[in-house]
Amino acid sequence: MSAVRAGARASVRCDVRSAVPPSLLGERSVAPAVAAIVASIGRDDFTARLVGLLAAAGFDQCNVFSVDDAGSARPFFYWNRSQPLDHARRVRRYVEEGLFAQDPALRELRGRRPDALRPRFFRSEEIADRHYRHYFFEEAGLGGKIAAFERNAADQVYANLYVCRARAWPQSSQLESLLLLADIVLNSILKHRELDAHVPERESAGRLDLVRRLLARGSARLSSREIEVCARQLAGQTSEAIALEFGIAESSVATYRKRAYEKLGICSRNDLFALCLSAARTRH
């Protein structure tokens, strides 16, 4: 890692760490999880650390999307504690059918002034759209969410953290701590995106094609799906985004990746990158 990149990571981690509320640092299970996610910004284990923080804080579901001015949304991260397959289907509908445009929390947050943006708590009964409330809350067993929103130069990032209907939302200072935690989650994601920025679409497509060809010409005999998963991983896509693109469970993405790694005799994305880099050099 270059000294400049290392310095940038240290800087953004300091920025996020300074926002941690003292009330959360006092929680035995949450404090280490906050420290872990801050330390993982810009690293491959960021998603796993984010899941650890959400679970430690008592959330049951989280969705994070990028939303652009052209009216399209892309999932950056999604997680559900107990119903991952059902949740993946709902996320797919939310994005592909444009249901995010009906999200009352998103409409409210997008309409706020930049200086007034902060996480907002929504109970399910506050959502007036009966069909939206039924599908995304009642059928899913969710009682409410904390919604956070941030505008960037190219798009907006929208994060939702949910609890099950059976759980009681904390009151007063505890809820305020969770609102601050939602802000930490969103800012960590923004900083991670900043350090692990996706390449432009044309360059990404070219990289996908190159990795496909490099992996296909080896002797490991990877399946077409194993090649596609590995190629997208090197192009910067998360497991959640890959699962959504192929209409499979995130666990299936992990299985394809594991099989590919075993065939290639490697253990990590860094190994995969080095392998493809070596193959590319051999070509020339």
Side-chain angles (χ1 to χ4, degrees):
M1 184 193 307
S2 71
V4 172
R5 190 170 176 83
R9 289 187 177 181
S11 175
V12 297
R13 287 170 187 161
C14 183
D15 290 344
V16 174
R17 188 180 293 112
S18 65
V20 179
S23 55
L24 283 177
L25 291 177
E27 297 289 337
R28 290 183 179 179
S29 60
V30 175
V34 170
I37 192 176
V38 170
S40 70
I41 290 173
R43 295 191 334 211
D44 290 350
D45 61 343
F46 177 80
T47 298
R49 300 303 183 185
L50 178 55
V51 169
L53 174 59
L54 294 167
F59 290 107
D60 296 293
Q61 179 174 298
C62 179
N63 298 330
V64 183
F65 303 93
S66 63
V67 184
D68 63 29
D69 293 330
S72 62
R74 289 183 58 188
F76 178 77
F77 168 83
Y78 61 93
W79 165 80
N80 182 285
R81 186 192 296 269
S82 58
Q83 299 177 319
L85 292 179
D86 182 64
H87 180 222
R89 285 192 291 270
R90 295 180 196 278
V91 169
R92 196 169 298 115
R93 283 199 64 191
Y94 185 86
V95 172
E96 294 178 355
E97 298 180 22
L99 296 178
F100 65 91
Q102 301 174 23
D103 188 331
L106 178 58
R107 289 202 301 268
E108 177 179 323
L109 290 171
R110 291 184 87 172
R112 290 190 191 179
R113 302 187 314 275
D115 60 351
L117 286 175
R118 70 183 302 273
R120 159 93 151 79
F121 171 50
F122 293 84
R123 295 184 184 275
S124 59
E125 54 265 30
E126 292 181 55
I127 297 174
D129 187 320
R130 184 169 59 85
H131 296 291
Y132 187 94
R133 183 177 69 245
H134 178 71
Y135 184 70
F136 287 107
F137 287 87
E138 294 169 353
E139 275 193 4
L142 300 171
K145 68 178 180 180
I146 291 175
F149 182 81
E150 184 71 40
R151 295 184 179 92
N152 289 318
D155 60 9
Q156 301 98 44
V157 179
Y158 179 46
N160 291 292
L161 295 84
Y162 303 78
V163 292
C164 286
R165 189 166 48 230
R167 294 178 185 266
W169 278 98
Q171 300 298 319
S172 60
S173 62
Q174 288 180 307
L175 180 56
E176 185 64 25
S177 289
L178 289 177
L179 290 168
L180 288 168
L181 182 60
D183 195 49
I184 291 169
V185 168
L186 179 58
N187 275 282
S188 296
I189 288 169
L190 291 171
K191 298 301 184 183
H192 182 70
R193 288 180 84 206
E194 179 183 324
L195 290 178
D196 194 33
H198 291 268
V199 293
E201 187 173 346
R202 181 181 298 178
E203 184 181 340
S204 179
R207 183 184 295 183
L208 278 173
D209 185 58
L210 174 61
V211 174
R212 286 190 193 104
R213 286 186 279 115
L214 291 174
L215 292 175
R217 43 190 299 269
S219 59
R221 298 187 181 278
L222 300 184
S223 70
S224 59
R225 184 54 58 85
E226 289 164 353
I227 289 175
E228 291 299 326
V229 166
C230 287
R232 280 161 174 74
Q233 184 185 22
L234 281 188
Q237 291 188 21
T238 63
S239 295
E240 293 84 0
I242 296 171
L244 187 67
E245 180 174 350
F246 288 112
I248 59 178
E250 189 182 344
S251 59
S252 297
V253 173
T255 298
Y256 286 122
R257 183 171 59 242
K258 180 181 178 182
R259 289 175 183 169
Y261 282 9
E262 288 174 348
K263 291 178 182 179
L264 293 168
I266 60 177
C267 300
S268 68
R269 187 173 76 166
N270 287 339
D271 291 341
L272 180 63
F273 177 79
L275 186 69
C276 289
L277 184 62
S278 176
R281 286 171 176 164
T282 303
R283 286 187 350 156
H284 299 291

